[in-house]
Amino acid sequence: MENFQPIDIETEVQVPIQAAKGEIDATFISFSGLREPHFAIKLGPADGPGVIPLVRIHSECVTGDIFGSLRCDCGPQLHEAIDRISTEGGYILYLRQEGRGIGLNSKLRAYKEQDKGLDTFEANRVLGFPDDARDFNLPAALLKVLKVTQLRLLSNNPDKLKSLIENGIDVVSSVPTGTFMNSKNQKYLEAKHLQKGHQLFNS
Ligand SMILES: [Zn+2]
């Protein structure tokens, strides 16, 4: 775990956002006690009796989330999560773990390696990084601060599911995300599927 002091909610503030389906209400929640400014976004009817929040654990991808990079599927997955969770109620945890935790500079270097024919995991290894450098204990810790101990998980990544369960979160169901494949990210998605067991679904 990367936190160095107890984690707590620092600020909770309304930020209306322009989503694909129009303007929606969102509450951005920052945390104290973290080295990186990970944050949560609360969308739709997230709490109340009988509500089991839908949760997306999303790792920052500046190229995909902001600039619409076609080398990955992060942007479409984030926007799918915003649309869906704002309807059903829940949270997005936005974790500042760019490039599966190796940072933007290294991610761009890894892209150069991929251009020579390596897949996304081989490229990380050539640069001396593990396949996945993200801290999967972090999301469970943040969820507990948010008092979310029971949820539905919006993810195709079996490692995320496993880490939540191991950290005592009651994952009532695992809801698959769409598969956003294009000619530029096909190899990347296939590597995640074949080597890490990510599920692929037609959207
Ligand atoms: Zn991405």
Side-chain angles (χ1 to χ4, degrees):
M1 275 293 293
E2 66 156 55
N3 62 302
F4 53 94
Q5 53 187 345
I7 307 170
D8 208 347
I9 290 176
E10 187 174 285
T11 305
E12 214 169 324
V13 64
Q14 302 277 351
V15 180
I17 56 179
Q18 191 66 46
K21 63 182 180 185
E23 188 183 311
I24 58 172
D25 292 329
T27 304
F28 280 64
I29 303 167
S30 62
F31 299 95
S32 56
L34 295 173
R35 272 201 194 90
E36 302 289 337
H38 311 296
F39 60 91
I41 309 167
K42 185 176 172 184
L43 296 163
D47 35 40
V51 175
I52 300 173
L54 183 62
V55 172
R56 167 80 188 158
I57 299 166
H58 191 88
S59 294
E60 174 181 277
C61 173
V62 167
T63 48
D65 295 344
I66 298 176
F67 296 99
S69 163
L70 296 174
R71 291 190 78 130
C72 61
D73 58 346
C74 306
Q77 284 202 329
L78 178 62
H79 292 288
E80 177 195 35
I82 291 169
D83 273 355
R84 191 152 176 182
I85 298 173
S86 65
T87 302
E88 299 180 31
Y91 295 85
I92 294 172
L93 295 184
Y94 195 87
L95 307 181
R96 318 305 286 276
Q97 304 187 129
E98 177 76 47
R100 291 199 303 276
I102 66 176
L104 178 66
N105 287 27
S106 298
K107 183 176 88 170
L108 296 182
R109 283 172 62 207
Y111 281 165
K112 286 288 273 189
E113 296 299 327
Q114 290 173 42
D115 288 345
K116 298 176 196 162
L118 301 185
D119 71 36
T120 180
F121 301 111
E122 291 165 341
N124 273 27
R125 284 176 222 142
V126 161
L127 296 176
F129 294 111
D131 288 3
D132 199 327
R134 289 177 290 186
D135 178 357
F136 279 120
N137 294 317
L138 174 68
L142 298 181
L143 287 165
K144 285 174 189 170
V145 172
L146 294 168
K147 299 190 167 52
V148 175
T149 53
Q150 191 181 52
L151 56 81
R152 297 176 297 132
L153 182 66
L154 183 59
S155 175
N156 294 338
N157 182 346
D159 289 337
K160 286 182 186 167
L161 175 64
K162 195 165 151 262
S163 80
L164 291 180
I165 293 169
E166 282 172 0
N167 283 286
I169 303 288
D170 179 12
V171 182
V172 172
S173 60
S174 185
V175 182
T177 63
T179 297
F180 304 97
M181 197 179 280
N182 63 54
S183 63
K184 311 266 185 343
N185 72 11
Q186 186 174 352
K187 244 190 105 186
Y188 166 77
L189 294 182
E190 284 171 355
K192 287 206 297 186
H193 172 61
L194 294 171
Q195 298 185 44
K196 303 295 167 190
H198 285 228
Q199 295 166 280
L200 292 178
F201 296 93
N202 292 322
S203 52

